[in-house]
Structures are given as structure tokens and as C-alpha cells.
């Protein structure tokens, strides 16, 4: 079998000082709250020790010969190079093979590799090598085809701008922007500065948006918004595909990105979205994050509907990616990540991969990274944890429980018997997730001009939450305030008081057990609950106009 060329990424050992700085600019009680850093200021915190970059660069040039083949960001935290597999095997003194899992997914990997001894103190990670993770999407599922929404059930909700009767607008089997905007209180908000409010949507695994569908979706469900063409940019990273057109596109490759874009734009369309696409299925996160961090102008909201089981990601890799997310937070970016769709883990597959084959809950990365906001999924109204699938939830085995969530998490564990009932199955002292939730079932999505009730998953809830916080950013900017940035310390200290609607029903079933249960306050099913736009603004001291 002919093995292809691929991008080899060598990441350097860095000064890890971002955590303290991140807490200071994101803690509402800090005098530096909201004082986000510039690109150069952030780079100064993470640059590798003097000599690391030149040592690795010189070694690579001995093997490849051409400086033009080396790619690196301004901060010089990593070097990437595209080489044939044979060349990589020679470079790392190893042999690559195709590995296939039980589901038929294939990865190009090696079981071991070597580096010159003089580089051991400089290189933190080489990928893809022996990391057997596979960044899967929280797949959208087509339930049935439908030409127009219907009112399946009625609900009266408090939108924040008076009571709204959603009887004629909410079909919880085919959600539309009108319903979601009413539920989360954004229906009466007027966007103030759309040209300076960017939202980024990550597309991996060859997935790509279709602009024609998105334009038609807005014309149908948001006729109040004037759509300008082109109304968003598509950025290809590591040769990722862009500009999908029919009939030469597979519906499975557009379902996820179309749903993400339509959920965000349908909820809050009057801002500038960008989509970032990477073709590198072996390692999608590093190319995306390094691209963003090397850019001067970056979106202030980033929505990611992809992830891995934490144990399939090495600690070194998880730490490196989490550090990159912390850097984005320092620059004022709010990163929202889908918590997963398998509760505490897939039934009949909850075993450790450390050689003991012991039964364990399987948390999801990057939701376990403290520097992202993990989003679970709800259904119906009054909202409950999703009932068509089990919203992802759990506790990290890599990252310790941050101080900003410790009181809430321990209060939850003390109110349940989970610690005793599931002793040994999870780490009660690990970073807990999700942080909040949003509706995650059957959003109406256009694919090839046909509406489908998709959105069964946290892939649907995450861009919905991103849309809400994009409007929060707009209101903050209009008031002369800094944007949200990394918001977890604020959410756990202040935001939960007025900014969420508590969800107290449902469970995060998985691994053959009932899993954690939803309760008042924070819980390991829906986090703090679902966003209340007007409450968020009120808690931030911003007057809605």
C-alpha cells in the first residue's frame, strides 16, 4: 500500500506561565479582569527557551535541505514540515503502518520513534507518531426529511423581554431560529457592530460548508437580515477543503459544518463568521490553533464540535493543546467545545488503555481542558438533559480540578452518592465538565436546499451557545467593554447567578450505568444550565438597548 506524505509537527518545550495570567484577566474579582493581551504579549509568555528553535531547525535542515519546507509561527512554539512517509521514517528512525480500529477507522502511526539526544530537552511532542487518538465529530443525524416546520408542542417561556408564547413557533422536532432566539432571550436584541465581531467555526475531517445552503437558510428563517455576498470567509489550513458546491459533494461531509454555521448565523447572523478547515485528520487541533495564534486578527468566539476520548490522547499532547487554548483565552477568545454524545462513555467499551484493561468512565478531550468552555445538550421545554442521546459529561484524568470550579463540583458530589457508587470509575478531583448546555436535538438544517431535522448532538448545542455569546460580545463592545475571552472563572463565580437557567432533570448515562444525575446548581450532566441572554448582560453590568 502506498503511504502518503503528511505534516509532521515538532512542538517545543515552552515556558508554561499562562495559567496565572489567564486567571488574572478572567477572574471578575481581579483588577486585571478583561485586560486581554496582544499577540506579541502572549507570545512572550510561551516562547521556548533560547536556542530550542535553532537547534531543531538546524537538525531538520540536515535532512530536508530547504528552509522553504519548514513552517512555523511567530512565537516559534512549533515547526511543521510536509514530508513523504519514507522521509519521516528516516528522520525518526522508525516505521509507520496503517492501524485500524474496530469501527474501521484508519490511522497512519508508529509505535515508537527516536530523536537525537541533544534535542530531548527542546522537543515536547512530535505528532503524528504514537498518539492513537482520532478527532471525531459529534455527528449530526438526519431523523427524517421535512419541507417546513410544524408546531408539535407549545411552551411559554420567560425570554427576558416579557413572556413569549412559543406555541406557534417552537417545534421541538425541527428547531428554527425563531424558537431558539425566544428560548434564550435574544429575539429582541439589535446587533450594534457586526463588522467587528468575528466568530470562528472549526471544520475537521474533510468537512466543508456550502454557502448556498447557508444563504438560503437565512433568507428563509431570518428574512429580517440582509445577507451580503460573500458574507463569511473560509480559511484553508494544511490544505483543508473549502467552497463545497453541488452536485460534487457528499452530504455526510457538509452535515456537520452546515449545521454549525446555520445554528450560529440563524441565532445571531449579523456578525462576521469565519470557517477554518484543516485536511489533516491525523492531527487537526495543532494546525488550527497555531494558525490562529500566529494571526493578528482572530475571531473572539471559536466553536468546536470535535473531540477525542481523553485516554487516546497522550498527556503531552493534551497539555500542549490545552496550553494553546489558554493562549487564545489570553487574547480574548472564548472557546466553546462539544462535550460529547456518549454520556460518561460508550456502553461495552469503557476500559482503560494503560495495560490493566480496568473498567473506567471515558472523559472527552478537549472538554477536559480547563481553558475551554464545555457545552452539553438539552431537549424540550422546560429543558432537560438530552433524551435522544446521552450528553457527554465527566471528570478529567489528566487535568486537576481548577480552583474556580472546586466549590461547585464538590457541593454537587456531596449532594449525590456518585463518589461512592462509582468509586474507581472516575476521578472526583479532576477537571469536571460540562460547564453549561444548550438545546441539542433536531435543529432544522438545509443540505442541498432540502431541510432536514438534524442536530442530534452537542454538535448542535455548541454553535447555539456560541451564537448567544457572540451577541454578548457585541453588547460588551458597544458599551466600551472588553469581550468575554476565557469565561470559566466568571461563569463559576458570577455568571451562574443570573446568566443561566438551571436544568435539573436527566442523566449522563453510559458505560452500562445510569451515570451522573442533573441537580440544582452545577451538575455533571448539563453544567450550570442553559444561557439567559438578558441575565448575562445584567450580571456583566451591561444595559440592553
Amino acid at each position: 500500500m502506498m503511504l502518503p506524505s503528511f505534516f509532521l509537527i515538532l512542538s517545543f518545550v515552552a515556558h508554561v506561565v499562562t495559567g496565572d495570567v489567564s486567571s488574572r484577566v478572567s477572574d471578575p474579582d481581579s483588577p486585571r479582569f478583561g485586560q486581554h493581551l496582544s499577540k506579541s504579549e502572549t507570545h512572550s509568555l510561551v516562547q521556548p527557551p533560547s536556542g530550542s528553535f535553532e537547534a531543531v531547525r538546524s537538525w531538520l535542515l540536515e535532512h530536508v535541505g530547504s528552509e522553504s519546507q519548514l513552517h512555523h509561527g511567530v512565537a516559534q512554539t512549533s515547526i511543521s514540515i510536509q514530508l513523504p512517509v519514507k522521509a519521516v521514517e528516516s528522520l525518526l528512525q522508525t516505521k509507520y503502518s496503517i492501524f485500524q480500529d474496530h469501527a474501521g477507522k484508519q490511522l497512519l502511526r508508529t509505535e515508537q520513534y527516536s530523536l537525537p539526544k541533544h534535542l530531548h530537552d527542546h522537543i515536547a511532542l512530535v505528532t503524528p507518531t504514537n498518539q492513537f487518538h482520532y478527532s471525531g465529530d459529534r455527528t449530526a443525524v438526519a431523523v427524517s426529511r421535512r419541507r417546513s416546520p410544524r408546531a408539535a408542542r407549545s411552551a411559554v417561556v420567560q425570554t427576558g423581554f416579557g413572556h413569549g408564547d412559543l406555541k406557534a413557533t417552537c417545534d421541538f422536532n425541527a428547531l428554527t431560529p425563531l424558537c431558539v432566539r425566544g428560548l434564550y432571550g435574544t429575539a429582541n436584541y439589535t446587533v450594534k457592530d457586526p463588522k467587528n465581531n468575528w466568530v470562528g467555526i472549526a471544520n475537521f475531517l474533510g468537512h466543508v460548508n456550502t454557502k448556498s445552503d447557508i444563504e438560503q437558510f437565512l433568507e428563509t428563517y431570518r428574512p429580517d437580515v440582509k445577507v451580503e455576498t460573500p458574507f463569511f470567509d473560509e480559511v484553508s489550513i494544511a490544505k483543508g477543503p473549502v467552497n463545497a458546491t453541488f452536485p460534487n459533494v457528499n452530504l455526510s461531509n457538509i452535515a456537520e459544518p452546515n449545521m454549525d454555521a446555520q445554528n450560529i448565523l440563524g441565532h445571531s447572523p449579523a456578525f462576521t463568521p469565519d470557517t477554518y478547515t484543516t485536511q489533516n485528520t491525523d492531527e487537526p487541533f495543532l494546525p488550527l490553533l497555531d494558525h490562529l495564534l500566529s494571526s493578528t486578527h482572530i475571531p473572539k468566539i471559536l466553536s468546536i464540535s470535535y473531540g477525542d476520548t481523553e485516554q487516546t490522547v497522550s498527556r503531552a499532547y493534551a497539555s500542549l493543546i490545552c496550553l494553546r487554548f489558554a493562549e487564545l483565552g489570553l487574547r480574548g477568545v472564548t472557546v466553546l467545545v462539544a462535550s460529547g454524545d456518549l454520556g460518561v462513555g460508550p456502553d461495552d467499551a469503557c476500559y482503560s488503555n494503560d495495560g490493566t484493561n480496568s473498567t473506567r468512565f471515558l472523559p472527552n478531550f478537549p472538554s477536559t481542558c480547563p481553558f475551554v468552555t464545555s457545552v452539553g445538550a438539552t431537549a424540550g421545554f422546560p429543558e432537560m438533559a438530552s433524551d435522544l442521546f446521552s450528553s457527554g459529561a465527566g471528570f478529567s484524568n489528566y487535568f486537576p480540578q481548577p480552583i474556580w470550579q472546586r466549590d461547585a463540583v464538590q457541593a454537587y458530589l456531596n449532594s449525590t452518592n456518585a463518589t461512592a457508587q462509582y468509586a474507581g470509575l472516575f476521578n472526583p478531583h479532576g477537571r469536571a465538565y460540562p460547564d453549561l448546555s444548550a438545546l441539542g436535538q433536531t435543529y432544522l438544517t438545509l443540505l442541498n436546499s432540502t431541510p432536514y431535522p438534524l442536530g442530534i448532538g452537542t454538535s448542535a448545542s455548541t454553535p447555539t451557545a456560541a451564537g448567544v455569546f457572540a451577541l454578548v460580545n457585541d453588547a460588551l463592545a458597544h458599551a466600551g467593554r472588553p469581550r468575554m475571552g476565557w469565561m470559566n472563572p466568571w461563569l463559576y463565580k458570577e455568571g451562574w447567578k443570573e446568566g443561566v437557567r438551571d436544568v435539573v432533570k436527566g442523566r449522563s448515562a453510559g458505560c452500562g450505568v445510569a451515570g451522573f444525575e442533573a441537580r440544582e446548581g452545577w451538575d455533571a450532566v448539563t453544567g450550570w444550565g442553559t444561557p439567559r441572554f438578558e441575565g448575562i448582560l445584567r450580571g456583566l453590568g451591561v444595559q440592553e438597548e
Side-chain angles (χ1 to χ4, degrees), residues 279-333:
Q279 180 67 17
N280 191 347
T281 59
D282 287 310
E283 206 308 282
F285 287 110
L286 265 180
L288 168 68
L289 297 176
D290 282 348
H291 172 86
L292 290 172
L293 290 167
S294 66
S295 302
T296 301
H297 301 289
I298 56 178
K300 296 305 181 183
I301 300 282
L302 179 61
S303 178
I304 301 176
S305 295
Y306 302 78
D308 301 294
T309 300
E310 187 185 61
Q311 69 171 1
T312 66
V313 177
S314 70
R315 286 179 183 267
Y317 175 86
S319 297
L320 180 69
I321 297 302
C322 198
L323 174 63
R324 296 289 200 274
F325 283 128
E327 293 175 57
L328 285 178
L330 284 172
R331 292 185 60 185
V333 179

Side-chain angles (χ1 to χ4, degrees), residues 129-193:
T129 49
N130 56 358
Q131 296 91 29
F132 284 83
H133 58 281
Y134 190 99
S135 292
D137 64 314
R138 312 306 184 196
T139 306
V141 178
V143 179
S144 63
R145 181 176 299 184
R146 188 169 298 158
R147 290 291 175 182
S148 61
R150 58 179 175 80
R153 56 186 288 191
S154 63
V156 177
V157 304
Q158 175 66 38
T159 66
F161 309 112
H163 285 84
D165 186 355
L166 301 183
K167 180 178 181 180
T169 59
C170 266
D171 175 3
F172 286 90
N173 294 313
L175 291 169
T176 63
L178 184 60
C179 172
V180 179
R181 292 165 61 219
L183 282 170
Y184 295 143
T186 64
N188 296 333
Y189 179 77
T190 301
V191 173
K192 308 301 189 298
D193 191 12

